[in-house]
Structure formats: C-alpha cells, structure tokens
Amino acid sequence: MSKERTQSGQPRQAEGVRAFKRGLDVLHEVNRSGGIRAGDIARQLDLPRPTVYRLLETLEELGYVARSASDDRFRVTRRALSLGDGYDPSVFICQVAAPYLAELSKNLVWPVDLSTYENAAMVIQETTHARSPLSIDRGMIGKRLPMLRTSAGRAYLAACAPIERDVIINHLRRIDEADDRPFLEPDRLSRILTETSRRGYAIRDEGEYNPKTSSIAVPIVRGEVVFGCISIIWIRSAMTLDDAVAQYAAPLRETAAAIPVEV
C-alpha cells in the first residue's frame, strides 16, 4: 500500500510533523522574545512571512499567543503557562492593559507606557510610542527605567507594600549608582514618596533621567499588589507640569482603575 502524499511529494505524515515543528519554533520564538512582530519571527527563523502569519493565526485561535493592540507584537498567553517555565506573569498585565492603552492614546496624543517592576527597574512592556505623532523615541519595548529618577519607578515605590519597598530601596543602595545617590538621601526620598502617595500619581519634572522630557505615572494597584504603572511622557518645553496634571492625571487614574486585574 502506497503512503498518501501531499502536492509537494512528501508523505502527508512527514508534512504534518514539519508544520507542527514550525509551529513550535514560532511559539518558542514568541516566548523567548517576550514580544515580537511576525516579520521579525520570519527573519529569525528564516521562514516565509505568509507561513509565519498562518502559524501565528493558528496559535492565536488556539489561545497560546495574542497580538498586542498597541504595537502588533505577539506574546504568549496565560494558557502557555502549561507548556513550561518560560511564562512571564507580566505578559498577563500586558494583554489585559493593551486595549485600554490604545483607547487612552486616542485622547492623549503624547505617548503612554505600561511598565512592570523587574530587578530594581521598571521595564516597559507596552507602549503607544509607535502610534504617537509626538514620540521622540520609538524603540521603547523592553527598556529599563530607573526606580528613583522616573515617575513610573516612584509611583511603584509609593504604592507597593512597605516590606517590598524596603527590599527594593536596599537593593538600590547596594547597586549604588551615582545618579541615584541624591534621591536615596532619606529626607528627599521620604518627601518624594509621601507626596506621590498623597497625590495618587508620581511626577518627573526636574530634568532627571531625561532633561528633555517630563512624565506622570499612576500605579495599577489591587489591594497591596502593584501590577505595574501607566506613564505619559511629554516634551518639557511644550507643556508645563501644571497643565499636564490638569489634562492627564485623571484619565491615567481612571484607566489604571478600569484595567481588569485581580489579586
């Protein structure tokens, strides 16, 4: 009995194994990258773009990957947790928050970032920089932001549980970066965190970190768990801090409260 063959002349079983392997390779690349576009996967794996798009569509239909609403990158979903230890919990907040950031960006023309805490820094996981006509920096996904010199870091520190805050600050003292030292002075640090907690949002407006820009950030908090922070960044010369707060603080806080995350 002859084996059934495909139009390419290969046995149908072998063709199926090949397609399955390609699908796993694509899934592995998405998981490894933390977030990647289809075209980049095609280049990394040396596969035709139509093949990659078809495989990603299948993986998305099966619930293993999801396309970001803000930058067209694919990321693994919670369902991928069962496939191994490579699942990153921050992926979940990206998936649920991305549509809210996209909606927010329609009203706030300046770029908006979603960042999560990772090893003494805030890491940008989602952003509307690519969509904002006012962005001066497009390559933001994966960028690490210092805790003490950015609004996102300050918002996170002010909102997290005291025990976690102490651990992070002690870690920053051990790292001992020169730029952080002025902000680690007890009186200054206490004032920043107290004012941030009182306002419900953090600010960066003294030329620290990036002298050309300012920012406001609000935490995404449920109970004592801080899932991440939403920040808006603008060029300092284009708008005063008071005007930015008047326009942006409330929408940022409303969006942070609306994102459907649970402890």
Side-chain angles (χ1 to χ4, degrees):
M1 178 183 291
S2 61
K3 292 183 178 179
E4 186 178 1
R5 294 180 178 272
T6 64
Q7 291 182 350
S8 64
Q10 292 209 12
R12 187 170 297 279
Q13 184 178 14
E15 186 73 13
V17 170
R18 183 183 177 205
F20 180 71
K21 180 182 182 303
R22 283 180 169 180
L24 290 179
D25 289 343
V26 169
L27 182 59
H28 174 77
E29 195 66 24
V30 175
N31 187 52
R32 184 194 64 79
S33 68
I36 190 170
R37 295 185 177 90
D40 294 327
I41 296 174
R43 283 190 293 272
Q44 292 284 351
L45 299 180
D46 194 23
L47 290 174
R49 284 196 179 200
T51 299
V52 171
Y53 278 111
R54 186 169 63 251
L55 291 169
L56 285 169
E57 287 175 358
T58 300
L59 289 168
E60 190 171 24
E61 288 175 2
L62 293 173
Y64 289 108
V65 303
R67 186 191 303 227
S68 166
S70 64
D71 64 1
D72 284 333
R73 293 174 186 264
F74 287 87
R75 293 181 172 87
V76 293
T77 65
R78 299 185 77 181
R79 187 171 186 179
L81 177 62
S82 63
L83 299 178
D85 296 331
Y87 178 78
D88 184 351
S90 65
V91 171
F92 171 61
I93 186 66
C94 294
Q95 291 168 0
V96 297
Y100 291 84
L101 263 65
E103 187 64 28
L104 187 64
S105 70
K106 296 178 182 178
N107 300 317
L108 309 185
V109 183
W110 293 101
V112 178
D113 295 331
L114 167 70
S115 57
T116 59
Y117 176 76
E118 181 182 306
N119 191 25
M122 298 299 291
V123 179
I124 296 179
Q125 306 287 357
E126 282 286 348
T127 183
T128 65
H129 271 271
R131 295 184 177 188
S132 171
L134 302 179
S135 173
I136 60 174
D137 191 348
R138 302 283 168 156
M140 296 296 289
I141 294 290
K143 188 168 186 176
R144 294 176 63 83
L145 307 175
M147 297 298 296
L148 301 173
R149 291 175 282 123
T150 63
S151 58
R154 293 170 179 176
Y156 188 94
L157 285 170
C160 69
I163 294 177
E164 182 183 5
R165 184 185 310 125
D166 290 342
V167 169
I168 294 172
I169 291 173
N170 288 335
H171 190 178
L172 293 172
R173 293 189 189 280
R174 287 193 297 271
I175 295 172
D176 193 29
E177 289 191 9
D179 290 338
D180 280 346
R181 290 171 190 165
F183 300 96
L184 283 168
E185 294 176 0
D187 289 345
R188 187 174 189 179
L189 179 59
S190 176
R191 184 173 65 255
I192 289 173
L193 297 181
T194 299
E195 291 176 354
T196 298
S197 180
R198 175 181 55 81
R199 287 190 303 255
Y201 59 86
I203 60 174
R204 174 181 62 82
D205 190 50
E206 298 178 357
E208 64 272 50
Y209 183 58
N210 186 337
K212 294 182 179 180
T213 64
S214 295
S215 64
I216 299 172
V218 299
I220 303 169
V221 187
R222 303 294 183 269
E224 288 193 341
V225 178
V226 186
F227 287 87
C229 295
I230 303 175
S231 312
I232 185 167
I233 302 93
W234 69 93
I235 298 174
R236 293 180 72 195
S237 60
M239 182 180 299
T240 67
L241 176 63
D242 288 344
D243 287 342
V245 168
Q247 294 183 48
Y248 305 140
L252 287 173
R253 295 176 71 175
E254 291 169 4
T255 299
I259 294 172
V261 293
E262 298 179 0
V263 179

